[in-house]
């Protein structure tokens, strides 16, 4: 019977040591999100968002050859275009689907049944917008291609990516991983 409290204490101590990222040396990395997409990256002592705006800021602030800069600009523009189109598809699909369903709900008189086919059409349009968003949006590989393009041939001063898996930003618990 004495083993159970000892096991509980051991698990509790292990949880505190592993989950408290204040013990981690990687506290400066950006947190990961539920979509498993990188949020940011570090180059020298500067942090950049993994977004079209952050990529352009990186390109403008870091000295590099013109060929590399043009290649990175093309990749950043592709990421920006995909993000814009996916956002339009998501919000447009949601808005159009909601509009169809609300229109059907408001057009029904007292005692009249709503047409389920129209409601399902609205739901389908909203779902289609979400599917198109998921297909087109920039993926983790797009950001890694950008980072790898910059890091190729460099022996030092490479871009570093890190993740901090964190349930909420306000909690002081999480796991830090660097590679």
């Amino acid at each position: 019977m004495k083993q159970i409290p000892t096991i509980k204490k051991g698990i509790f101590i292990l949880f505190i040591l592993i989950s408290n990222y204040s013990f981690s040396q990687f506290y400066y990395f950006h947190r990961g999100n539920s979509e498993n997409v990188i949020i940011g990256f570090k180059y020298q002592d500067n942090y950049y968002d993994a977004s079209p705006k952050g990529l352009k800021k990186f390109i403008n602030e870091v000295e590099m050859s013109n060929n590399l800069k043009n290649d990175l600009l093309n990749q950043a523009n592709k990421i920006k275009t995909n993000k814009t189109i996916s956002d339009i598809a998501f919000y447009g699909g949601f808005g159009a689907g909601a509009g169809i369903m609300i229109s059907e709900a408001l057009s029904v008189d007292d005692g009249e049944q709503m047409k389920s086919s129209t409601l399902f059409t609205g739901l389908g349009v909203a779902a289609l917008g979400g599917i198109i968003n998921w297909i087109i949006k920039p993926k983790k590989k797009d950001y890694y291609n950008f980072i790898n393009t910059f890091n190729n041939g460099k022996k030092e001063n490479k871009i570093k990516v890190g993740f901090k898996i964190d349930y909420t930003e306000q909690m002081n618990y999480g796991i830090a991983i660097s590679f």
Side-chain angles (χ1 to χ4, degrees):
M1 287 303 221
K2 294 247 179 198
Q3 289 182 345
I4 293 175
T6 307
I7 292 173
K8 285 183 182 179
K9 286 180 187 177
I11 291 172
F12 179 72
I13 290 170
L14 185 65
F15 171 77
I16 295 297
L17 291 176
I18 290 175
S19 66
N20 191 344
Y21 67 80
S22 63
F23 291 114
S24 174
Q25 59 182 326
F26 307 114
Y27 63 90
Y28 49 82
F29 286 126
H30 299 275
R31 67 181 177 81
N33 62 12
S34 61
E35 297 174 355
N36 196 22
V37 175
I38 63 173
I39 300 298
F41 56 92
K42 178 184 175 191
Y43 179 72
Q44 294 175 340
D45 290 330
N46 297 322
Y47 304 98
Y48 300 95
D49 288 334
S51 66
K53 192 175 186 179
L55 297 179
K56 295 269 176 128
K57 182 180 176 188
F58 172 78
I59 293 168
N60 291 331
E61 290 181 0
V62 175
E63 291 185 30
M64 62 186 88
S65 70
N66 287 335
N67 290 338
L68 180 59
K69 186 176 270 196
N70 289 335
D71 193 19
L72 293 178
L73 274 172
N74 289 337
Q75 290 182 26
N77 287 335
K78 182 181 175 195
I79 289 171
K80 181 180 180 181
T81 302
N82 288 350
K83 181 169 178 10
T84 302
I85 292 171
S86 69
D87 287 347
I88 289 170
F90 178 76
Y91 293 116
F94 179 77
I100 292 169
M101 290 187 282
I102 290 171
S103 173
E104 176 63 25
L106 294 177
S107 68
V108 174
D109 293 329
D110 289 338
E112 192 177 336
Q113 292 284 334
M114 288 189 281
K115 295 180 187 173
S116 61
S117 62
T118 307
L119 295 175
F120 281 117
T121 300
L123 185 61
V125 168
L128 182 64
I131 292 169
I132 291 171
N133 174 26
W134 179 72
I135 292 171
I136 295 176
K137 73 179 178 181
K139 307 285 191 284
K140 183 170 50 172
K141 70 175 182 158
D142 296 323
Y143 292 104
Y144 282 135
N145 286 339
F146 181 91
I147 291 168
N148 289 335
T149 300
F150 181 80
N151 283 346
N152 281 343
K154 290 195 175 276
K155 292 187 176 22
E156 54 186 45
N157 290 332
K158 292 184 175 189
I159 294 176
K160 296 180 182 174
V161 178
F163 297 101
K164 181 178 71 178
I165 303 166
D166 200 355
Y167 294 108
T168 63
E169 291 183 52
Q170 290 79 25
M171 291 178 63
N172 201 17
Y173 298 105
I175 301 172
I177 303 170
S178 178
F179 53 93

